[in-house]
PDB file of all heavy atoms in Angstrom:
ATOM      1  N   PHE N 822       0.838  -1.199   0.000  1.00  0.00           N
ATOM      2  CA  PHE N 822       0.000   0.000   0.000  1.00  0.00           C
ATOM      3  C   PHE N 822       0.875   1.251   0.000  1.00  0.00           C
ATOM      4  O   PHE N 822       1.766   1.415   0.842  1.00  0.00           O
ATOM      5  CB  PHE N 822      -0.959  -0.039   1.187  1.00  0.00           C
ATOM      6  CG  PHE N 822      -1.991  -1.118   1.050  1.00  0.00           C
ATOM      7  CD1 PHE N 822      -1.758  -2.380   1.572  1.00  0.00           C
ATOM      8  CD2 PHE N 822      -3.165  -0.892   0.348  1.00  0.00           C
ATOM      9  CE1 PHE N 822      -2.694  -3.394   1.416  1.00  0.00           C
ATOM     10  CE2 PHE N 822      -4.102  -1.899   0.185  1.00  0.00           C
ATOM     11  CZ  PHE N 822      -3.865  -3.153   0.714  1.00  0.00           C
ATOM     12  N   SER N 823       0.584   2.128  -0.959  1.00  0.00           N
ATOM     13  CA  SER N 823       1.503   3.203  -1.311  1.00  0.00           C
ATOM     14  C   SER N 823       1.691   4.259  -0.235  1.00  0.00           C
ATOM     15  O   SER N 823       2.736   4.914  -0.198  1.00  0.00           O
ATOM     16  CB  SER N 823       1.039   3.886  -2.606  1.00  0.00           C
ATOM     17  OG  SER N 823      -0.265   4.420  -2.454  1.00  0.00           O
ATOM     18  N   MET N 824       0.717   4.463   0.642  1.00  0.00           N
ATOM     19  CA  MET N 824       0.847   5.492   1.663  1.00  0.00           C
ATOM     20  C   MET N 824       1.126   4.925   3.054  1.00  0.00           C
ATOM     21  O   MET N 824       1.402   5.656   3.992  1.00  0.00           O
ATOM     22  CB  MET N 824      -0.430   6.355   1.721  1.00  0.00           C
ATOM     23  CG  MET N 824      -0.633   7.203   0.490  1.00  0.00           C
ATOM     24  SD  MET N 824       0.720   8.373   0.240  1.00  0.00           S
ATOM     25  CE  MET N 824       1.233   7.959  -1.424  1.00  0.00           C
ATOM     26  N   ASP N 825       1.031   3.603   3.197  1.00  0.00           N
ATOM     27  CA  ASP N 825       1.263   2.967   4.497  1.00  0.00           C
ATOM     28  C   ASP N 825       2.452   2.016   4.483  1.00  0.00           C
ATOM     29  O   ASP N 825       3.036   1.739   5.525  1.00  0.00           O
ATOM     30  CB  ASP N 825       0.006   2.223   4.946  1.00  0.00           C
ATOM     31  CG  ASP N 825      -1.105   3.174   5.314  1.00  0.00           C
ATOM     32  OD1 ASP N 825      -1.710   3.774   4.407  1.00  0.00           O
ATOM     33  OD2 ASP N 825      -1.356   3.343   6.521  1.00  0.00           O
ATOM     34  N   GLY N 826       2.790   1.476   3.306  1.00  0.00           N
ATOM     35  CA  GLY N 826       3.953   0.620   3.195  1.00  0.00           C
ATOM     36  C   GLY N 826       3.768  -0.795   3.699  1.00  0.00           C
ATOM     37  O   GLY N 826       4.724  -1.575   3.724  1.00  0.00           O
ATOM     38  N   ASP N 827       2.538  -1.153   4.105  1.00  0.00           N
ATOM     39  CA  ASP N 827       2.299  -2.515   4.578  1.00  0.00           C
ATOM     40  C   ASP N 827       1.796  -3.398   3.440  1.00  0.00           C
ATOM     41  O   ASP N 827       1.549  -2.930   2.335  1.00  0.00           O
ATOM     42  CB  ASP N 827       1.316  -2.515   5.749  1.00  0.00           C
ATOM     43  CG  ASP N 827      -0.022  -1.868   5.411  1.00  0.00           C
ATOM     44  OD1 ASP N 827      -0.098  -1.139   4.405  1.00  0.00           O
ATOM     45  OD2 ASP N 827      -0.996  -2.095   6.149  1.00  0.00           O
ATOM     46  N   HIS N 828       1.642  -4.687   3.714  1.00  0.00           N
ATOM     47  CA  HIS N 828       1.287  -5.656   2.696  1.00  0.00           C
ATOM     48  C   HIS N 828      -0.185  -6.072   2.776  1.00  0.00           C
ATOM     49  O   HIS N 828      -0.776  -6.101   3.859  1.00  0.00           O
ATOM     50  CB  HIS N 828       2.113  -6.935   2.854  1.00  0.00           C
ATOM     51  CG  HIS N 828       3.580  -6.743   2.723  1.00  0.00           C
ATOM     52  ND1 HIS N 828       4.494  -7.723   3.012  1.00  0.00           N
ATOM     53  CD2 HIS N 828       4.313  -5.679   2.314  1.00  0.00           C
ATOM     54  CE1 HIS N 828       5.714  -7.282   2.801  1.00  0.00           C
ATOM     55  NE2 HIS N 828       5.631  -6.035   2.385  1.00  0.00           N
ATOM     56  N   ALA N 829      -0.735  -6.446   1.627  1.00  0.00           N
ATOM     57  CA  ALA N 829      -2.038  -7.096   1.600  1.00  0.00           C
ATOM     58  C   ALA N 829      -1.903  -8.507   2.154  1.00  0.00           C
ATOM     59  O   ALA N 829      -0.837  -9.126   2.081  1.00  0.00           O
ATOM     60  CB  ALA N 829      -2.567  -7.150   0.166  1.00  0.00           C
ATOM     61  N   LEU N 830      -2.988  -9.021   2.700  1.00  0.00           N
ATOM     62  CA  LEU N 830      -2.998 -10.382   3.239  1.00  0.00           C
ATOM     63  C   LEU N 830      -3.316 -11.347   2.094  1.00  0.00           C
ATOM     64  O   LEU N 830      -4.421 -11.861   1.959  1.00  0.00           O
ATOM     65  CB  LEU N 830      -4.021 -10.492   4.367  1.00  0.00           C
ATOM     66  CG  LEU N 830      -3.819  -9.501   5.517  1.00  0.00           C
ATOM     67  CD1 LEU N 830      -4.898  -9.682   6.583  1.00  0.00           C
ATOM     68  CD2 LEU N 830      -2.427  -9.662   6.133  1.00  0.00           C
ATOM     69  N   LEU N 831      -2.324 -11.602   1.270  1.00  0.00           N
ATOM     70  CA  LEU N 831      -2.535 -12.297   0.006  1.00  0.00           C
ATOM     71  C   LEU N 831      -3.014 -13.732   0.183  1.00  0.00           C
ATOM     72  O   LEU N 831      -3.853 -14.207  -0.584  1.00  0.00           O
ATOM     73  CB  LEU N 831      -1.252 -12.258  -0.827  1.00  0.00           C
ATOM     74  CG  LEU N 831      -0.854 -10.873  -1.344  1.00  0.00           C
ATOM     75  CD1 LEU N 831       0.514 -10.933  -2.012  1.00  0.00           C
ATOM     76  CD2 LEU N 831      -1.895 -10.338  -2.313  1.00  0.00           C
ATOM     77  N   ARG N 832      -2.498 -14.452   1.152  1.00  0.00           N
ATOM     78  CA  ARG N 832      -2.925 -15.846   1.336  1.00  0.00           C
ATOM     79  C   ARG N 832      -4.412 -15.922   1.660  1.00  0.00           C
ATOM     80  O   ARG N 832      -5.141 -16.772   1.138  1.00  0.00           O
ATOM     81  CB  ARG N 832      -2.105 -16.515   2.432  1.00  0.00           C
ATOM     82  CG  ARG N 832      -0.628 -16.629   2.095  1.00  0.00           C
ATOM     83  CD  ARG N 832       0.094 -17.579   3.039  1.00  0.00           C
ATOM     84  NE  ARG N 832       1.535 -17.484   2.844  1.00  0.00           N
ATOM     85  CZ  ARG N 832       2.201 -18.033   1.848  1.00  0.00           C
ATOM     86  NH1 ARG N 832       1.533 -18.750   0.936  1.00  0.00           N
ATOM     87  NH2 ARG N 832       3.508 -17.890   1.737  1.00  0.00           N
ATOM     88  N   LYS N 833      -4.868 -15.041   2.513  1.00  0.00           N
ATOM     89  CA  LYS N 833      -6.283 -15.024   2.870  1.00  0.00           C
ATOM     90  C   LYS N 833      -7.136 -14.581   1.687  1.00  0.00           C
ATOM     91  O   LYS N 833      -8.246 -15.105   1.465  1.00  0.00           O
ATOM     92  CB  LYS N 833      -6.508 -14.098   4.068  1.00  0.00           C
ATOM     93  CG  LYS N 833      -7.922 -14.113   4.614  1.00  0.00           C
ATOM     94  CD  LYS N 833      -8.308 -15.483   5.147  1.00  0.00           C
ATOM     95  CE  LYS N 833      -9.695 -15.455   5.779  1.00  0.00           C
ATOM     96  NZ  LYS N 833     -10.113 -16.795   6.252  1.00  0.00           N
ATOM     97  N   LEU N 834      -6.638 -13.638   0.905  1.00  0.00           N
ATOM     98  CA  LEU N 834      -7.371 -13.187  -0.276  1.00  0.00           C
ATOM     99  C   LEU N 834      -7.538 -14.324  -1.285  1.00  0.00           C
ATOM    100  O   LEU N 834      -8.610 -14.480  -1.889  1.00  0.00           O
ATOM    101  CB  LEU N 834      -6.656 -12.005  -0.928  1.00  0.00           C
ATOM    102  CG  LEU N 834      -6.712 -10.680  -0.170  1.00  0.00           C
ATOM    103  CD1 LEU N 834      -5.788  -9.667  -0.807  1.00  0.00           C
ATOM    104  CD2 LEU N 834      -8.134 -10.148  -0.125  1.00  0.00           C
ATOM    105  N   VAL N 835      -6.502 -15.121  -1.458  1.00  0.00           N
ATOM    106  CA  VAL N 835      -6.588 -16.268  -2.363  1.00  0.00           C
ATOM    107  C   VAL N 835      -7.620 -17.265  -1.847  1.00  0.00           C
ATOM    108  O   VAL N 835      -8.437 -17.806  -2.613  1.00  0.00           O
ATOM    109  CB  VAL N 835      -5.203 -16.941  -2.505  1.00  0.00           C
ATOM    110  CG1 VAL N 835      -5.335 -18.322  -3.150  1.00  0.00           C
ATOM    111  CG2 VAL N 835      -4.271 -16.060  -3.323  1.00  0.00           C
ATOM    112  N   GLN N 836      -7.620 -17.491  -0.544  1.00  0.00           N
ATOM    113  CA  GLN N 836      -8.586 -18.413   0.048  1.00  0.00           C
ATOM    114  C   GLN N 836     -10.022 -17.927  -0.174  1.00  0.00           C
ATOM    115  O   GLN N 836     -10.906 -18.706  -0.568  1.00  0.00           O
ATOM    116  CB  GLN N 836      -8.311 -18.556   1.541  1.00  0.00           C
ATOM    117  CG  GLN N 836      -9.282 -19.466   2.276  1.00  0.00           C
ATOM    118  CD  GLN N 836      -9.050 -19.464   3.785  1.00  0.00           C
ATOM    119  OE1 GLN N 836      -7.942 -19.174   4.252  1.00  0.00           O
ATOM    120  NE2 GLN N 836     -10.086 -19.772   4.535  1.00  0.00           N
ATOM    121  N   LEU N 837     -10.272 -16.640   0.048  1.00  0.00           N
ATOM    122  CA  LEU N 837     -11.616 -16.093  -0.123  1.00  0.00           C
ATOM    123  C   LEU N 837     -12.021 -16.086  -1.595  1.00  0.00           C
ATOM    124  O   LEU N 837     -13.189 -16.316  -1.929  1.00  0.00           O
ATOM    125  CB  LEU N 837     -11.681 -14.679   0.449  1.00  0.00           C
ATOM    126  CG  LEU N 837     -11.608 -14.591   1.975  1.00  0.00           C
ATOM    127  CD1 LEU N 837     -11.507 -13.140   2.423  1.00  0.00           C
ATOM    128  CD2 LEU N 837     -12.820 -15.264   2.611  1.00  0.00           C
ATOM    129  N   LYS N 838     -11.073 -15.834  -2.463  1.00  0.00           N
ATOM    130  CA  LYS N 838     -11.350 -15.887  -3.899  1.00  0.00           C
ATOM    131  C   LYS N 838     -11.852 -17.270  -4.286  1.00  0.00           C
ATOM    132  O   LYS N 838     -12.836 -17.415  -5.032  1.00  0.00           O
ATOM    133  CB  LYS N 838     -10.074 -15.548  -4.671  1.00  0.00           C
ATOM    134  CG  LYS N 838     -10.116 -15.891  -6.157  1.00  0.00           C
ATOM    135  CD  LYS N 838      -8.752 -16.277  -6.672  1.00  0.00           C
ATOM    136  CE  LYS N 838      -8.904 -17.178  -7.875  1.00  0.00           C
ATOM    137  NZ  LYS N 838      -7.644 -17.421  -8.562  1.00  0.00           N
ATOM    138  N   ARG N 839     -11.187 -18.293  -3.806  1.00  0.00           N
ATOM    139  CA  ARG N 839     -11.584 -19.668  -4.123  1.00  0.00           C
ATOM    140  C   ARG N 839     -12.969 -19.983  -3.557  1.00  0.00           C
ATOM    141  O   ARG N 839     -13.815 -20.559  -4.238  1.00  0.00           O
ATOM    142  CB  ARG N 839     -10.570 -20.653  -3.548  1.00  0.00           C
ATOM    143  CG  ARG N 839      -9.216 -20.659  -4.250  1.00  0.00           C
ATOM    144  CD  ARG N 839      -8.294 -21.571  -3.481  1.00  0.00           C
ATOM    145  NE  ARG N 839      -6.991 -21.749  -4.116  1.00  0.00           N
ATOM    146  CZ  ARG N 839      -5.989 -22.404  -3.543  1.00  0.00           C
ATOM    147  NH1 ARG N 839      -6.137 -22.916  -2.332  1.00  0.00           N
ATOM    148  NH2 ARG N 839      -4.841 -22.540  -4.181  1.00  0.00           N
ATOM    149  N   GLU N 840     -13.182 -19.608  -2.299  1.00  0.00           N
ATOM    150  CA  GLU N 840     -14.446 -19.936  -1.629  1.00  0.00           C
ATOM    151  C   GLU N 840     -15.644 -19.305  -2.316  1.00  0.00           C
ATOM    152  O   GLU N 840     -16.730 -19.899  -2.362  1.00  0.00           O
ATOM    153  CB  GLU N 840     -14.394 -19.475  -0.167  1.00  0.00           C
ATOM    154  CG  GLU N 840     -13.460 -20.289   0.718  1.00  0.00           C
ATOM    155  CD  GLU N 840     -13.423 -19.747   2.133  1.00  0.00           C
ATOM    156  OE1 GLU N 840     -14.189 -18.791   2.441  1.00  0.00           O
ATOM    157  OE2 GLU N 840     -12.626 -20.262   2.948  1.00  0.00           O
ATOM    158  N   HIS N 841     -15.464 -18.105  -2.866  1.00  0.00           N
ATOM    159  CA  HIS N 841     -16.604 -17.352  -3.394  1.00  0.00           C
ATOM    160  C   HIS N 841     -16.614 -17.251  -4.918  1.00  0.00           C
ATOM    161  O   HIS N 841     -17.447 -16.525  -5.477  1.00  0.00           O
ATOM    162  CB  HIS N 841     -16.613 -15.960  -2.769  1.00  0.00           C
ATOM    163  CG  HIS N 841     -16.897 -15.975  -1.291  1.00  0.00           C
ATOM    164  ND1 HIS N 841     -18.179 -15.944  -0.777  1.00  0.00           N
ATOM    165  CD2 HIS N 841     -16.053 -16.034  -0.229  1.00  0.00           C
ATOM    166  CE1 HIS N 841     -18.114 -15.972   0.547  1.00  0.00           C
ATOM    167  NE2 HIS N 841     -16.844 -16.024   0.909  1.00  0.00           N
ATOM    168  N   GLY N 842     -15.713 -17.953  -5.585  1.00  0.00           N
ATOM    169  CA  GLY N 842     -15.721 -17.947  -7.042  1.00  0.00           C
ATOM    170  C   GLY N 842     -15.474 -16.579  -7.635  1.00  0.00           C
ATOM    171  O   GLY N 842     -16.094 -16.196  -8.632  1.00  0.00           O
ATOM    172  N   ALA N 843     -14.540 -15.827  -7.040  1.00  0.00           N
ATOM    173  CA  ALA N 843     -14.235 -14.477  -7.504  1.00  0.00           C
ATOM    174  C   ALA N 843     -12.940 -14.472  -8.305  1.00  0.00           C
ATOM    175  O   ALA N 843     -12.125 -15.396  -8.225  1.00  0.00           O
ATOM    176  CB  ALA N 843     -14.105 -13.522  -6.318  1.00  0.00           C
ATOM    177  N   MET N 844     -12.746 -13.425  -9.087  1.00  0.00           N
ATOM    178  CA  MET N 844     -11.461 -13.160  -9.729  1.00  0.00           C
ATOM    179  C   MET N 844     -10.608 -12.358  -8.752  1.00  0.00           C
ATOM    180  O   MET N 844     -11.139 -11.625  -7.917  1.00  0.00           O
ATOM    181  CB  MET N 844     -11.652 -12.360 -11.017  1.00  0.00           C
ATOM    182  CG  MET N 844     -12.473 -13.051 -12.087  1.00  0.00           C
ATOM    183  SD  MET N 844     -12.744 -11.984 -13.550  1.00  0.00           S
ATOM    184  CE  MET N 844     -14.001 -10.848 -12.907  1.00  0.00           C
ATOM    185  N   LEU N 845      -9.297 -12.496  -8.874  1.00  0.00           N
ATOM    186  CA  LEU N 845      -8.381 -11.742  -8.022  1.00  0.00           C
ATOM    187  C   LEU N 845      -7.403 -10.960  -8.882  1.00  0.00           C
ATOM    188  O   LEU N 845      -6.703 -11.531  -9.716  1.00  0.00           O
ATOM    189  CB  LEU N 845      -7.614 -12.675  -7.078  1.00  0.00           C
ATOM    190  CG  LEU N 845      -6.551 -12.013  -6.186  1.00  0.00           C
ATOM    191  CD1 LEU N 845      -7.173 -10.956  -5.274  1.00  0.00           C
ATOM    192  CD2 LEU N 845      -5.819 -13.067  -5.354  1.00  0.00           C
ATOM    193  N   MET N 846      -7.364  -9.650  -8.673  1.00  0.00           N
ATOM    194  CA  MET N 846      -6.430  -8.761  -9.371  1.00  0.00           C
ATOM    195  C   MET N 846      -5.537  -8.090  -8.343  1.00  0.00           C
ATOM    196  O   MET N 846      -6.014  -7.604  -7.314  1.00  0.00           O
ATOM    197  CB  MET N 846      -7.196  -7.695 -10.162  1.00  0.00           C
ATOM    198  CG  MET N 846      -6.302  -6.648 -10.811  1.00  0.00           C
ATOM    199  SD  MET N 846      -7.277  -5.417 -11.737  1.00  0.00           S
ATOM    200  CE  MET N 846      -5.965  -4.275 -12.222  1.00  0.00           C
TER     201      MET N 846
END
């Protein structure tokens, strides 16, 4: 994140993407 410098929780995002049939960008 450009103004905070921290990371997205990518592993959890991948898990939620799978569970809900979403695309991930």
